[in-house]
Amino acid sequence: MEKATIVLEGGATRGVFTAGALDYLMEKDVFFSDVIGVSAGACNAVDYVSKQIGRTRDCMIHSEKELNYYYGIRKGLKEKSLMNMDMVFDKYPNELIPFDYDTFFASESRCEIVTTNCDNGKAEYMSEYEDGAKLLKMTRASSSMPLICPMVEIDGIPYLDGGLADSIPIGRAMEYGNEKVVVILTQNPGYRKSRPSKPMEHLFRHAYKTRPQLVRTILRRSFVYNETIKRIHELEQEGKIFVLRPQIPVVSRLERNTDTLMNFYNHGYQLMEKEYDNLMKYLTR
């Protein structure tokens, strides 16, 4: 158990890069005392704490029809979601690709899942160490992308994708007080997020017209994200944090080609393997 915090960025199917990197760490029996996951990073986080090598990969990369979680446009309009979130956060963990609740709850690691409160637009950092259903609901909320997925209600409050309010929670990680912080990003070096186009801005304002604070958070996301990336770069240059990021072109956010996804997963695994000695030097110096 390394006394350090690991931060896992989201990015939907780009999360297979993180899955590859974490699978290598699990094979080396390297686990961190504190884990913070956002969106797809939250899915990676819980599978990492439950020590399930390959689980996130298997959930995200498959060709079997019975494992498909995309509704398609026609059914998506009917269900008001492009993805079958019940499949991902109920049938997968409880039937098809079982989640190891016992190992997760017995872990010494603290695991926080980042969500966005739809009433006030602020990030919330959630943990659960007893109730498996609530843990999955938190992870589902963190992974529910705006416009694509419906809000998830937890204790009477609606939530969406944690990346809206805090895409890369480096500030939260620093609050933990651990001297070592590791960040796994899912975008290439130099990436900066663009502000939503005017049509998308109008769509967000219309879709969430009763939630002005949420809309404000969504429209400010690119600015906050880019400022966070700037801070991460500065901390990395100062040797205060260790960052792993893709070095090949990233996959699309909703990539479905299994070969493309597997290549990106393998890149995460191989890059962590390549950087493993540097990571260990950083953690032990």
Side-chain angles (χ1 to χ4, degrees), residues 5 31 46 63 70 123 126 138 144 162 166 198 241 250 277 280:
T5 304
F31 293 91
V46 296
S63 56
Y70 286 97
M126 300 180 169
M138 292 173 178
S144 293
D166 197 355
K198 284 297 180 181
I241 65 174
V250 301
D277 287 344
M280 291 298 105

Side-chain angles (χ1 to χ4, degrees), residues 144-159:
S144 293
M145 295 177 283
L147 302 181
I148 293 176
C149 302
M151 298 176 186
V152 177
E153 191 169 290
I154 302 174
D155 297 331
I157 299 173
Y159 293 92

Side-chain angles (χ1 to χ4, degrees), residues 96 112 117 133 139 208 217 221 228 265:
L96 300 175
E112 279 198 334
N117 183 313
T139 310
Y208 304 117
T217 294
R221 184 185 183 188
T228 302
Y265 166 85

Side-chain angles (χ1 to χ4, degrees), residues 43-63:
C43 297
N44 274 301
V46 296
D47 287 342
Y48 174 65
V49 174
S50 67
K51 301 183 178 182
Q52 291 181 267
I53 298 173
R55 185 177 185 276
T56 304
R57 176 200 62 209
D58 294 344
C59 287
M60 299 182 76
I61 308 175
H62 47 73
S63 56

Side-chain angles (χ1 to χ4, degrees), residues 77 88 92 108 110 198 275 277:
L77 290 173
V88 178
Y92 273 12
E108 296 177 16
R110 171 171 53 170
K198 284 297 180 181
E275 294 295 328
D277 287 344

Side-chain angles (χ1 to χ4, degrees), residues 237-257:
Q237 292 298 108
E238 294 169 1
K240 294 181 179 179
I241 65 174
F242 182 94
V243 182
L244 192 80
R245 53 172 70 80
Q247 301 299 312
I248 64 173
V250 301
V251 302
S252 65
R253 187 171 62 164
L254 296 176
E255 180 61 59
R256 298 178 66 180
N257 183 281

Side-chain angles (χ1 to χ4, degrees), residues 58-230:
D58 294 344
C59 287
M60 299 182 76
I61 308 175
H62 47 73
S63 56
E64 297 87 349
K65 187 175 181 180
E66 63 270 20
L67 295 179
N68 181 41
Y69 53 82
Y70 286 97
Y71 276 138
I73 299 299
R74 179 177 295 181
K75 192 170 184 180
L77 290 173
K78 179 182 177 181
E79 299 291 338
K80 298 182 180 179
S81 175
L82 288 182
M83 295 188 291
N84 185 344
M85 300 296 272
D86 288 338
M87 170 76 83
V88 178
F89 295 101
D90 183 7
K91 199 165 185 178
Y92 273 12
N94 296 317
E95 297 179 32
L96 300 175
I97 311 174
F99 178 73
D100 190 342
Y101 296 97
D102 291 339
T103 298
F104 180 91
F105 291 133
S107 174
E108 296 177 16
S109 295
R110 171 171 53 170
C111 181
E112 279 198 334
I113 295 167
V114 185
T115 59
T116 297
N117 183 313
C118 296
D119 287 339
N120 59 29
K122 296 181 179 180
E124 291 191 16
Y125 308 92
M126 300 180 169
S127 297
E128 179 56 49
Y129 302 107
E130 295 181 354
D131 188 334
K134 190 170 185 179
L135 173 69
L136 292 179
K137 184 174 281 192
M138 292 173 178
T139 310
R140 176 174 179 162
S142 183
S143 305
S144 293
M145 295 177 283
L147 302 181
I148 293 176
C149 302
M151 298 176 186
V152 177
E153 191 169 290
I154 302 174
D155 297 331
I157 299 173
Y159 293 92
L160 277 175
D161 191 336
L164 300 177
D166 197 355
S167 297
I168 314 170
I170 188 68
R172 180 67 172 179
M174 292 301 185
E175 291 176 6
Y176 281 11
N178 290 332
E179 292 184 4
K180 305 297 181 180
V181 176
V182 176
V183 181
I184 300 184
L185 303 178
T186 58
Q187 293 283 9
N188 295 133
Y191 171 80
R192 296 296 183 272
K193 191 176 293 293
S194 300
R195 182 181 172 85
S197 64
K198 284 297 180 181
M200 284 302 299
E201 180 177 333
H202 291 316
L203 187 56
F204 283 126
R205 291 187 185 281
H206 176 73
Y208 304 117
K209 58 187 175 183
T210 61
R211 303 181 188 279
Q213 295 303 318
L214 175 62
V215 172
R216 181 176 183 273
T217 294
I218 292 173
L219 298 184
R220 292 189 73 250
R221 184 185 183 188
S222 58
F223 171 77
V224 175
Y225 182 93
N226 295 338
E227 286 297 304
T228 302
I229 287 292
K230 180 180 177 182

